[in-house]
């Protein structure tokens, strides 16, 4: 791992650590600490999503034209201003403007950092690079949330100002670290090959990328879009899960990711990417069956609690399998000079799913318990079907890079064990 990649990974961990300090407490902070009410708190969460949807369509072109580093630095400064002003805001207007700045900056960070990882890696090392990114992000979010929860008290507004100040400080520290990163020279839109021009039209003409975006929407809708909305509501209303148990379930999800990430890596990188994604769909279908048992199985409360926690753990295992699979595939599908555009398009799909998921899943999870479980079992099985279809549109190098590398090693007459480092 080179110096640039190490700094990028440190940046991922620090940004996640800073976000972990505040994201779990946004609702309480706005609604109760600042006494602005649940409606304003809900608007703040909506503003995060809207801000991301507004800036992401323009992010990819900026990344490909100017490079990911300047875009990332601008996003970090914007997020730092948003975080600090949110910690000081005492009225609805300032809270919403601050949330928009923080949400926009946070949204732009994701494709910028992903593009930096692509530019500092090779097809052979990219799988492990994205696995490390996902591992550090979850570790940072978990540790940040744990420490932040120990600092704040609802009756002390100054504690929350401190948290947002720490978050802003993390972003500024990250500016200093990222400013020292030297990226390899890459083609930009201004001087790229003709295939890099055409933007969204060319992207929509890439059948495999369109299929991956549809698949990505279903993935994020059926999992991430339900964590803190529909599945939580279902757990409380149907399974009798307490708020403290919800916290344990989320911890089980993070723990499963941290423990499984590198255990599953060798298994994942030696198999076709489409088959790995298809397997995740089956694992998540089982997870939803466990959730169904927790709320509809009429067993003991202890069994219901264990099944519900297992649901989150199974989701974590699936996430650990996806992290070294989907992001490298997006990069491999992108033509030269359009990696930023492709990363931003996929991030936009994710944000759309995260916006629609709670709107659909929240009311269903709270009141339509049986249909809710059936719907998301079907969505999970749909992931498997879509992944199999995607595999037919991918080249061997895109779908199974490990096998292609092994074949190259054999053709060149080198020892086959050299592939083990892939």
């Amino acid at each position: 791992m080179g110096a640039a990649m190490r700094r990028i990974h440190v940046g991922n961990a620090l940004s996640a650590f800073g976000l972990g300090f505040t994201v779990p407490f946004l609702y309480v902070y706005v609604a109760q600490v600042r006494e602005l009410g649940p409606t304003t708190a809900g608007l703040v969460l909506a503003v995060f999503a809207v801000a991301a949807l507004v800036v992401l369509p323009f992010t990819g072109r900026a990344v490909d034209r100017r490079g990911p580093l300047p875009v990332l630095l601008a996003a970090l400064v914007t997020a730092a201003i948003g975080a600090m002003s949110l910690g000081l805001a005492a009225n609805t207007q300032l809270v919403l403007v601050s949330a928009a700045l923080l949400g926009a900056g946070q949204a732009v960070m994701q494709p910028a950092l992903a593009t930096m990882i692509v530019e500092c890696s090779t097809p052979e090392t990219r799988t492990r690079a994205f696995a490390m990114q996902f591992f550090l992000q979850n570790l940072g979010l978990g540790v940040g949330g744990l420490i932040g929860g120990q600092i704040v008290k609802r009756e002390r507004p100054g504690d929350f100002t401190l948290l947002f100040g720490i978050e802003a400080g993390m972003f500024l520290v990250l500016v200093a670290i990222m400013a020292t990163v030297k990226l390899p020279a890459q083609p930009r839109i201004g001087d790229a090959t003709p295939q890099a021009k055409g933007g969204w039209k060319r992207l929509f003409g890439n059948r495999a990328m369109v299929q991956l975006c549809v698949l990505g929407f279903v993935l994020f809708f059926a999992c991430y879009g339900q964590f803190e909305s529909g599945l939580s509501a279902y757990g409380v209303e149907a399974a009798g899960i307490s708020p403290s148990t919800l916290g344990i379930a989320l911890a089980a999800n993070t723990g499963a990711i941290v423990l499984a990430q590198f255990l599953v890596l060798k298994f994942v990188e030696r198999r076709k990417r489409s088959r790995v994604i298809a397997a995740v769909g089956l694992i998540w279908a089982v997870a939803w069956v466990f959730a169904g048992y927790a709320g509809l199985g009429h067993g003991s409360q202890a069994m219901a609690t264990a099944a519900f926690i297992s649901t989150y753990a199974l989701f974590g295992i699936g996430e650990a399998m996806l992290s070294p699979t989907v992001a490298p595939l997006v990069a491999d599908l992108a033509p030269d000079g359009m990696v930023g555009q492709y990363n931003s398009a996929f991030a936009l799909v994710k944000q759309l799913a995260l916006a629609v998921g709670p709107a659909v899943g929240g009311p269903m999870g709270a009141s339509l318990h049986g249909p809710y479980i059936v719907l998301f079992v079907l969505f999970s099985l749909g992931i498997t079907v879509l992944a199999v279809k995607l595999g037919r549109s991918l080249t061997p190098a895109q779908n199974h890079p490990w096998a292609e590398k092994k074949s190259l090693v054999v053709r060149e007459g080198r020892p086959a064990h050299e592939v083990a480092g892939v």
Side-chain angles (χ1 to χ4, degrees):
M1 185 188 300
M5 186 65 79
R6 284 195 295 272
R7 286 180 173 86
I8 293 168
H9 284 322
V10 169
N12 271 303
L14 287 177
S15 63
F17 181 71
L19 290 170
F21 262 87
T22 60
V23 170
F25 315 110
L26 270 176
Y27 184 90
V28 172
Y29 171 70
V30 176
Q32 299 178 7
V33 175
R34 291 300 182 187
E35 298 181 346
L36 298 177
T39 300
T40 302
L43 284 174
V44 166
L45 298 176
V47 163
F48 267 91
V50 171
L53 295 176
V54 169
V55 299
L56 281 172
F58 308 99
T59 300
R61 188 165 181 84
V63 168
D64 291 330
R65 182 179 292 276
R66 303 297 181 189
L69 186 55
V71 174
L72 175 63
L73 295 179
L76 289 169
V77 172
T78 301
I81 295 172
M84 195 66 256
S85 59
L86 191 57
L88 298 171
N91 61 67
T92 299
Q93 292 76 16
L94 187 54
V95 162
L96 294 177
V97 171
S98 302
L101 290 172
L102 180 56
Q106 180 185 343
V108 173
M109 285 181 216
Q110 298 175 26
L113 282 167
T115 304
M116 290 176 71
I117 290 175
V118 172
E119 295 190 358
C120 290
S121 62
T122 65
E124 292 77 23
T125 62
R126 200 162 289 151
T127 295
R128 291 179 178 268
F130 277 104
M132 177 63 76
Q133 178 203 30
F134 191 67
F135 171 82
L136 291 173
Q137 280 180 339
N138 280 276
L139 189 62
L141 284 170
V143 173
L146 182 63
I147 295 175
Q150 302 304 310
I151 293 176
V152 295
K153 293 291 185 292
R154 188 178 303 176
E155 62 275 9
R156 298 200 306 247
D159 289 353
F160 290 86
T161 302
L162 174 62
L163 286 193
F164 284 104
I166 292 173
E167 181 180 26
M170 289 293 102
F171 291 140
L172 295 178
V173 168
L174 187 49
V175 168
I177 294 173
M178 291 292 104
T180 66
V181 174
K182 294 182 178 180
L183 297 175
Q186 298 286 336
R188 303 296 173 204
I189 286 179
D191 57 1
T193 57
Q195 68 175 351
K197 301 178 181 180
W200 290 99
K201 182 178 180 180
R202 182 168 180 82
L203 189 151
F204 284 121
N206 186 329
R207 179 182 177 186
M209 184 60 188
V210 172
Q211 286 181 294
L212 182 58
C213 286
V214 173
L215 175 57
F217 181 89
V218 178
L219 281 167
F220 293 119
F221 178 79
C223 176
Y224 301 92
Q226 303 306 312
F227 270 5
E228 296 178 6
S229 58
L231 190 54
S232 296
Y234 171 84
V236 171
E237 299 294 340
I241 301 299
S242 67
S244 61
T245 303
L246 283 177
I248 294 172
L250 287 168
N253 175 262
T254 301
I257 292 169
V258 171
L259 293 174
Q261 186 64 84
F262 295 103
L263 293 177
V264 304
L265 184 56
K266 185 173 287 189
F267 170 84
V268 166
E269 66 183 354
R270 295 192 177 197
R271 281 156 181 82
K272 290 183 178 180
R273 288 166 169 170
S274 59
R275 291 183 180 178
V276 171
I277 301 171
V280 171
L282 296 177
I283 292 171
W284 285 358
V286 173
W288 282 107
V289 170
F290 272 55
Y293 173 80
L296 309 172
H298 306 295
S300 67
Q301 187 59 47
M303 290 295 291
T305 299
F308 193 75
I309 292 173
S310 298
T311 298
Y312 277 80
L314 286 170
F315 275 129
I317 293 171
E319 292 172 73
M321 295 171 65
L322 287 176
S323 62
T325 304
V326 175
L329 179 54
V330 173
D332 288 350
L333 288 172
D336 290 341
M338 289 189 65
V339 175
Q341 186 101 47
Y342 275 55
N343 279 325
S344 294
F346 199 75
L348 179 61
V349 167
K350 178 179 179 180
Q351 289 297 328
L352 284 170
L354 294 180
V356 175
V360 174
M364 287 191 70
S367 57
L368 302 173
H369 303 148
Y372 178 68
I373 295 298
V374 171
L375 177 65
F376 283 95
V377 168
L378 293 176
F379 265 106
S380 299
L381 295 176
I383 290 169
T384 300
V385 174
L386 290 172
V388 172
K389 289 184 177 180
L390 172 65
R392 297 171 186 155
S393 300
L394 301 175
T395 66
Q398 292 167 344
N399 199 21
H400 202 185
W402 186 87
E404 287 296 296
K405 177 65 175 178
K406 182 178 179 181
S407 175
L408 178 62
V409 168
V410 172
R411 288 198 301 270
E412 293 178 352
R414 289 184 282 154
H417 65 77
E418 290 185 18
V419 184
V422 177

